[in-house]
Amino acid sequence: MQMQITEIAGGVLNVALTGRLDTPGVDRIETRFTAALVPRGATAIVDLSAVEFVGSMAIRMFIAVARALGRQHAKLVLYAPQPLVNDVFETVLLRQIVPVQLDSESALAAARS
Amino acid sequence: MQGHRVELRFPGTLAGFDEAFSTLLAELRADRIDPRSRFNVEVVFEEIVSNLVRHAAPHVGTLDVEVSVDLGANPIVMTFVDNGPAFDPAHRPDPMPPTSLSDAPDGGFGLMLVRRATTSTQYERMTDRRNRLVVAIAATPLATSAQAGS
């Protein structure tokens, strides 16, 4: 599981994740993912185009970070999930509480709205 | 479809989970099943074993997990056997749909995903005080998927 963070326009962070967000994958990345975003209250868009799998532990991680950012008036927006990953999001109705967008442009717009 | 059985036996630890999942993924890559069926097998393995490692393992000295996956047939059948406390996943309701981040549940999504990925689930507490969970997952051979999509 790999994570690459870049700062884009207006202080928004782009987080590109690569690999599998199964339990071992979340275990490897959750501390770094949370530490990179929550303490600074940074609005972030998360590129999931290279994530092959997500399970419930990943859902829990995204909700926890989005909730912590929300308390600081910041946002977490996910984008470009692969079709089977998006099906998981649909099953748990994730987009009702965490925005999921098709691409980086719409993710950035949602992050700024 | 040619029958193919994968059998895994591992300790109910994160390391055991990680190694067993890697073995299963290698077997799945070598098998001719459609991507959605394969993904569903991965989802079920992930959620059932993750539950065991996080919730059952703390209650027993050593949690032993056995998983078999019968591939190459329809349905794909996955069998999980463990020596943890009795737990019938059918008795755990789905979480309420979240309406906001503040009321979103922290858990409960795993069994919801298992229900979505499977066509049947049978749980048994065996006389040797082990749990046995058998689930079925609809499978489509790759050749049939390709024809259906053409």
Side-chain angles (χ1 to χ4, degrees):
Chain A
M1 194 69 223
Q2 295 178 338
M3 179 174 77
Q4 187 170 12
I5 300 179
T6 52
E7 188 161 339
I8 54 179
V12 176
L13 300 181
N14 184 78
V15 184
L17 298 177
T18 302
R20 297 176 56 81
L21 281 173
D22 50 21
T23 297
V26 170
D27 185 65
R28 288 185 195 106
I29 207 168
E30 183 168 19
T31 301
R32 281 187 294 141
F33 182 72
T34 304
L37 304 182
V38 174
R40 60 198 287 189
T43 285
I45 61 174
V46 182
D47 182 356
L48 297 175
S49 60
V51 171
E52 305 157 14
F53 179 90
V54 296
S56 63
M57 296 297 284
I59 303 293
R60 185 194 52 74
M61 178 181 77
F62 288 139
I63 290 174
V65 170
R67 185 185 284 143
L69 291 178
R71 288 193 202 105
Q72 301 174 74
H73 308 290
K75 279 187 181 175
L76 184 76
V77 180
L78 310 177
Y79 73 90
Q82 296 182 14
L84 293 171
V85 168
N86 193 53
D87 284 352
V88 170
F89 294 160
E90 295 289 340
T91 298
V92 302
L93 304 174
L94 183 67
R95 67 179 66 233
Q96 290 193 11
I97 51 173
V98 178
V100 181
Q101 299 290 336
L102 283 176
D103 52 36
S104 60
E105 289 77 16
S106 53
L108 193 54
R112 287 173 168 160
S113 67
Chain B
M1 292 171 82
Q2 187 81 24
H4 173 201
R5 169 175 263 225
V6 179
E7 292 185 331
L8 303 164
R9 185 170 187 168
F10 52 96
T13 61
L14 192 58
F17 179 2
D18 199 1
E19 189 174 342
F21 211 168
S22 296
T23 302
L24 176 62
L25 291 174
E27 295 280 355
L28 291 173
R29 276 193 284 271
D31 212 275
R32 288 182 57 80
I33 55 175
D34 66 296
R36 181 170 297 278
S37 303
R38 186 169 64 206
F39 193 85
N40 284 340
V41 170
E42 295 175 24
V43 165
V44 172
F45 184 89
E46 156 75 15
E47 302 304 342
I48 298 297
V49 178
S50 182
N51 263 350
L52 289 172
V53 170
R54 291 182 294 116
H55 301 301
H59 298 281
V60 294
T62 303
L63 181 70
D64 298 313
V65 183
E66 298 171 29
V67 181
S68 67
V69 187
D70 287 303
L71 298 162
N74 190 4
I76 296 167
V77 177
M78 300 181 75
T79 304
F80 299 82
V81 176
D82 68 87
N83 62 332
F87 178 70
D88 182 352
H91 289 163
R92 180 65 63 91
D94 284 343
M96 293 292 288
T99 55
S100 69
L101 265 177
S102 58
D103 76 0
D106 287 325
F109 298 117
L111 294 177
M112 193 176 181
L113 293 173
V114 169
R115 288 187 190 105
R116 171 71 176 264
T118 57
T119 54
S120 73
T121 303
Q122 290 179 303
Y123 169 78
E124 175 190 7
R125 182 67 171 177
M126 299 192 292
T127 53
D128 62 2
R129 300 175 62 80
R130 293 193 301 165
N131 302 297
R132 183 170 183 267
L133 179 69
V134 182
V135 304
I137 297 169
T140 308
L142 271 181
T144 305
S145 322
Q147 285 164 6
S150 63

